[in-house]
Structure formats: C-alpha cells, structure tokens
Amino acid sequence: KATNNEGPCFTLPFFDPLEAARGAKIKPDPRIKAVMVMAPYGAPWFSKSALGSMKVPLFVGGGSADDVAVYARDAKVIFERSSSQAKYLLTLEGALHNPWVNPAPVETYGNFKEYERWSEPVWDKQRTGDIVKHFASAFFGAYLKADKKAAAFLSSDLPGFLPRTTEGVKLELGK
C-alpha cells in the first residue's frame, strides 16, 4: 500500500495568498497568530505582494540541499519576502526535503522507493525531531504565550543546545 506525504505539504500553505494575489477578497484569518513551516514548497506561485502582506510571526525551516522544495527558491524566498516583523529561518546544512517529518511508516519498509521519500540520508531523524521541538516550543511559546523565557531561545547564538551539537544548524533572524 502506498502512502502519501504530500497533500497539505504542497497545497494548503499557498491557496489563500494565491487567491488574494489574483484579486479574490481573501483576508488573513484573524485566528492565526504565528506560522511555522518546514520545507515550504511553492514560493514561485506567491506574488511579492502576497508574501509582503504577511504580518504574523513566521518561522521557516529548510534543508540547504532540498531538491523538492528547493531551499534558495522556496524557504529562503518566503523568509526574505515576508513582511513579518518577527521572522526566522532555520537552515540544516546538507539536509534534503524530509528531515522534518517523522520516521518512515512501517508500511513503507517493503518498498524502497516509498521508504526513500520519507528518509533523510544526512541528518538523524531523532536529532532533527529534537531540533524542531526546541524551536517550535520557543517560537510558539514566545508568540502565542508571550513567554519571554521561550523567546530567549530564538537567537542565532542557539542557546539551549549543548556544546558541539549545533554543527550544521543555522538560525537567521529577519530584518
């Protein structure tokens, strides 16, 4: 049985901005207070004005070697063009598209092509999972709970990590 890890990954993040860019009367959902996206795909479909209208805090994660949601075309562009006052770009050096997702489901073990879609050849999934949990806790704690202690972990100095554990991890803060 094949699995599907695309679906929302490829469509939901850019429907509203696309429609707004086409002139639809779509307004930002006031319930959304912060956005965190990992390996976002679709920046070529966003207009500059759609990304420029984004105001909520934004956290983008990307693998520098992503060959699906190409880092320079997608993650980097979304980060740079967003007008969010608080924005962050987490880069995992050498990572492909899937360091962010859970380990491959058991049903993929008998089908290498399907298993490979979930795999990440450079980064250990336990480590990347811990990195995502660290930054998700800090980001959402800071922007949904106004927790100043959580906000302190959103620094390019990477506080909270043990010595020697930040190799290949880079956090950029937006301007």
Side-chain angles (χ1 to χ4, degrees), residues 14-166:
F14 54 84
F15 275 157
D16 284 354
L18 267 178
E19 293 307 309
R22 292 181 181 138
K25 303 289 183 216
I26 293 177
K27 295 182 180 173
D29 186 331
R31 297 171 298 176
I32 297 174
K33 305 295 183 200
V35 173
M36 183 177 208
V37 293
M38 299 289 135
Y41 179 85
W45 292 281
F46 283 117
S47 69
K48 285 185 182 181
S49 63
L51 286 168
S53 68
M54 181 170 215
K55 304 292 184 210
V56 298
L58 172 67
F59 192 103
V60 178
S64 68
D66 193 334
D67 56 349
V68 176
V70 178
Y71 177 80
R73 180 198 69 203
D74 291 305
K76 192 87 167 153
V77 167
I78 289 169
F79 170 74
E80 289 173 348
R81 291 187 182 169
S82 164
S83 289
S84 299
Q85 292 300 307
K87 60 183 179 178
Y88 306 87
L89 176 63
L90 173 65
T91 304
L92 298 182
E93 293 299 327
L96 293 174
H97 186 61
N98 286 329
W100 319 105
V101 298
N102 294 324
V106 174
E107 60 266 19
T108 67
Y109 289 8
N111 180 336
F112 182 73
K113 271 184 89 172
E114 192 63 25
Y115 176 83
E116 187 178 37
R117 289 175 31 156
W118 289 81
S119 67
E120 168 54 49
V122 174
W123 284 79
D124 174 76
K125 292 285 188 131
Q126 181 67 46
R127 182 171 180 221
T128 58
D130 290 344
I131 290 168
V132 170
K133 288 176 198 170
H134 171 88
F135 285 114
S137 297
F139 179 69
F140 289 121
Y143 294 103
L144 299 183
K145 295 183 175 185
D147 182 339
K148 291 184 190 314
K149 287 181 182 177
F153 290 97
L154 296 171
S155 166
S156 59
D157 295 334
L158 303 175
F161 288 89
L162 295 173
R164 301 178 63 208
T165 64
T166 58

Side-chain angles (χ1 to χ4, degrees), residues 5-13:
N5 70 340
E6 278 105 46
C9 173
F10 288 99
T11 58
L12 296 179

